[in-house]
Amino acid sequence: MEQYKTVLEGGTGEIIEKKSRFIATVRPVRNEEEALAFLEEMRKQYWDARHNCYAYSVGRNREYTRCSDDGEPSGTAGRPMLDVILGEDIYNIAVVVTRYFGGVLLGTGGLVRAYSKAVQEGLSESLLIEKKKGISLKVTTDYTGIGKIQYIAGERQISILDSEYTDKVVLKLLVPNSETDAVQKAITEGTNGRAVMEKEKELYFAKVNGDVLTFED
């Protein structure tokens, strides 16, 4: 996948519907084992609740996508929760919505709305990011070429991951996959062929509050 939305930091959101408490806990998960461990953790934490409904979707092709109503009427909890996740197009995420019954029946439509709203509240309290695929491009040049390379990086909003200044200059650029050929061409032309470039590794990256984070997955 060239890019996908996921959770960097999970959060907890809560709503009240006709005296019932719905607590949505969101967690990033890398595999189904982590999702199942999270579910068990929530069941232990909220052991006294009437319901701990869940939904998760894991894998680049959503290979592990599951949901459960956990005793609520069929189709009123887990599926609406999952529909929110799929509608937001979020990957590698698990959500548990814990319900403390308030004594008033909500009806099937009310339950669907409540569980959906709870997940949305949980997502609003979480940090979601867009991961994009890129490469670490090692560029070695002499000092006459450094200014041009920095200009190209700034013009294209390409992050400089690392720099080393000795008898030569070595820069490590974070280049989106879609721009790799164009960036290499621009550097070659801008330095009159004096720069040596090497693709070090593929990685994912995301920009969060002005900072660039990199991921190995």
Side-chain angles (χ1 to χ4, degrees), residues 5-170:
K5 188 192 294 186
T6 190
V7 183
L8 180 63
E9 296 175 4
T12 302
E14 181 175 336
I15 66 168
I16 305 291
E17 289 289 339
K18 295 183 179 179
K19 299 182 181 180
S20 281
R21 289 177 64 201
F22 294 84
I23 306 166
T25 307
V26 179
R27 184 76 59 85
V29 289
R30 292 171 295 182
N31 50 55
E32 190 171 34
E33 288 73 23
E34 287 190 1
L36 295 174
F38 166 59
L39 303 183
E40 191 58 33
E41 177 189 332
M42 291 297 99
R43 289 190 183 110
K44 289 179 180 178
Q45 180 175 338
Y46 296 110
W47 60 270
D48 57 340
R50 178 74 67 90
H51 306 282
N52 283 295
C53 306
Y54 67 81
Y56 62 84
S57 185
V58 184
R60 300 290 167 78
N61 297 308
R62 301 194 182 280
E63 294 91 340
Y64 305 101
T65 299
R66 310 278 188 272
C67 62
S68 170
D69 297 311
D70 192 35
E72 293 282 29
S74 179
T76 62
R79 186 66 217 190
M81 291 169 60
L82 184 59
D83 285 343
V84 174
I85 292 173
L86 299 179
E88 293 287 340
D89 201 27
I90 305 172
Y91 289 76
N92 293 351
I93 179 177
V95 184
V96 173
V97 174
T98 302
R99 182 189 183 189
Y100 285 94
F101 184 56
V104 180
L105 297 176
L106 300 184
T108 56
L111 286 172
V112 169
R113 287 190 294 272
Y115 278 99
S116 299
K117 185 178 177 182
V119 174
Q120 292 165 348
E121 188 67 24
L123 292 176
S124 72
E125 296 297 323
S126 305
L127 180 55
L128 303 179
I129 58 173
E130 191 83 28
K131 283 188 177 182
K132 297 182 179 181
K133 200 170 188 179
I135 64 162
S136 172
L137 182 66
K138 181 179 178 181
V139 184
T140 305
T141 185
D142 53 31
Y143 280 82
T144 59
I146 184 61
K148 186 63 178 179
I149 295 172
Q150 289 174 330
Y151 173 79
I152 292 169
E155 183 182 45
R156 295 174 177 269
Q157 296 185 316
I158 290 172
S159 299
I160 299 176
L161 297 175
D162 195 13
S163 58
E164 180 182 328
Y165 295 84
T166 54
D167 57 322
K168 292 187 177 296
V169 181
V170 179

